[in-house]
Amino acid sequence: MNKKAKAITITYVTKASYASLNGSDKEADNISSIKKIRMTDGMEYPYCSSQAIRRALREQLAVLGFDLSEGVQGKQKKGAGTTKCEPQNYIDDDLFGFMNASESTVKRTSPVRVTSAIALNPYLGDMDFGTNYMSVKAGGNPNIFETEIHSGYYYGTILIELDRIGVKGNDGYELAISNEKKTKRVLGLVDAIQNLWTVGRQSRFLTDMSPKFVSAALLRVKNPIFMECIRLSEDLIIQEDILMNTTKDFENVILDHTLGERKGFFNKDNDNYVDIGESFQKIRQWVNEVYGE
């Protein structure tokens, strides 16, 4: 194993043309809000929570053929449900951690760190108008409702602690897997990231959340160096200068990096960015090299 490599950081950009990615508390009985954060410019920007992103990654791992740790009811009265807490057997318990406080507390801190996917464009008050006719046959009136919707670019970051995948954190559980199995699990996660698809609100608001741009680095420290470096120009092109400056600023800890975009997706292709598929292939190469026997 390459002892120098401690983490992979992946910052991605995607686009939602007509979306309601993550529900918030209702402002009124007939209005479904989306989660928003007010930035320093005074505007509100929608976001898809880190919890929702983690859930989406888990669900995509299941689609890719991995067995997930099923939820288990808490043993204590009113106790919170948990997973099976068996990272030896289940990829999601290994990658995303767990906590079981039913008897003695057993927990694993997630080696996969996830930010929310935050919009780069503010919320402008758009609403989707809907009517539920299900109650009409029962003699009721149509139920009219509204849903907040948004169109814009979103960015998020995922940091993978390579030296903690498949490694026990305390004595409360079993975890000792081969480098081959570590490779399989992290490659599965990379596939899930490349094919990111949220599971909530997809029946009426089907959204492609897969990355259209990615800036990633193999690091000998744990630092999401690209997390605050995504900017859009007025002509909706990802600004290159801050990304290039970041690679120079952190060249002493960067073992390798890649910048990739979906060619033809943005208003203008950047010759300094490779195809996004090539970027993900490089990330897979890092994983194979790090855990190679």
Side-chain angles (χ1 to χ4, degrees):
M1 177 178 174
N2 184 346
K3 299 297 183 181
K4 292 183 179 180
K6 299 299 182 184
I8 292 174
T9 182
I10 303 172
T11 293
Y12 63 92
V13 176
T14 189
K15 184 181 180 182
S17 295
Y18 184 92
S20 181
L21 291 178
N22 204 183
S24 181
D25 289 337
K26 290 185 177 181
E27 298 178 0
D29 287 341
N30 64 337
I31 297 178
S32 295
S33 305
I34 54 178
K35 291 183 177 179
K36 298 180 286 291
I37 183 171
R38 189 178 298 277
M39 297 290 197
T40 55
D41 61 2
M43 303 291 288
E44 290 186 326
Y45 292 77
Y47 68 92
C48 185
S49 71
S50 56
Q51 182 179 6
I53 299 294
R54 283 164 57 91
R55 182 74 246 176
L57 292 172
R58 285 167 59 98
E59 293 294 336
Q60 198 63 284
L61 287 171
V63 172
L64 291 167
F66 290 92
D67 292 330
L68 299 186
S69 182
E70 298 176 0
V72 177
Q73 185 175 356
K75 294 182 179 180
Q76 296 180 354
K77 187 177 181 180
K78 296 184 179 180
T82 68
T83 66
K84 289 184 177 179
C85 305
E86 297 178 9
Q88 182 74 17
N89 301 319
Y90 297 102
I91 183 174
D92 51 330
D93 279 343
D94 183 7
L95 300 185
F96 299 113
F98 52 81
M99 185 174 75
N100 187 346
S102 58
E103 294 176 356
S104 60
T105 300
V106 178
K107 69 177 182 178
R108 173 172 173 76
T109 301
S110 171
V112 178
R113 311 303 180 114
V114 180
T115 73
S116 299
I118 305 174
L120 290 163
N121 314 91
Y123 176 65
L124 299 177
D126 293 314
M127 306 285 288
D128 175 73
F129 182 85
T131 307
N132 186 346
Y133 285 94
M134 296 300 292
S135 63
V136 175
K137 292 184 179 180
N141 295 319
N143 180 30
I144 297 173
F145 61 93
E146 292 180 286
T147 304
E148 291 184 345
I149 55 173
H150 179 253
S151 176
Y153 292 90
Y154 288 73
Y155 72 101
T157 295
I158 298 169
L159 185 138
I160 308 167
E161 296 183 77
L162 295 171
D163 59 344
R164 291 189 56 236
I165 302 296
V167 177
K168 187 191 245 185
N170 61 33
D171 296 328
Y173 56 85
E174 178 186 0
L175 183 55
I177 63 175
S178 65
N179 282 345
E180 180 181 1
K181 197 166 186 177
K182 292 177 185 178
T183 301
K184 182 179 180 181
R185 287 182 173 182
V186 179
L187 288 178
L189 177 63
V190 173
D191 288 344
I193 295 170
Q194 186 176 6
N195 297 281
L196 182 63
W197 180 68
T198 57
V199 294
R201 295 193 167 185
Q202 293 297 293
S203 297
R204 291 192 300 121
F205 301 103
L206 180 63
T207 305
D208 175 14
M209 283 285 288
S210 63
K212 309 303 183 295
F213 172 85
V214 64
S215 52
L218 179 68
L219 302 166
R220 60 185 184 89
V221 298
K222 299 174 183 180
N223 183 3
I225 58 174
F226 296 116
M227 191 170 80
E228 302 293 347
C229 299
I230 300 299
R231 304 286 189 276
L232 279 182
S233 63
E234 292 183 359
D235 53 353
L236 301 180
I237 296 174
I238 294 174
Q239 295 181 5
E240 178 186 355
D241 289 350
I242 188 171
L243 295 169
M244 294 302 185
N245 289 337
T246 299
T247 61
K248 292 179 181 178
D249 290 342
F250 291 94
E251 62 183 357
N252 63 318
V253 296
I254 295 176
L255 299 173
D256 199 0
H257 77 279
T258 181
L259 302 173
E261 66 181 357
R262 175 77 59 80
K263 296 299 182 181
F265 184 85
F266 296 96
N267 287 346
K268 182 180 179 181
D269 289 345
N270 189 319
D271 293 337
N272 292 323
Y273 303 155
V274 301
D275 293 343
I276 198 166
E278 186 176 336
S279 282
F280 274 100
Q281 281 302 104
K282 176 168 274 195
I283 295 170
R284 294 184 182 95
Q285 179 183 336
W286 297 341
V287 175
N288 283 310
E289 291 175 351
V290 166
Y291 296 122
E293 299 290 351

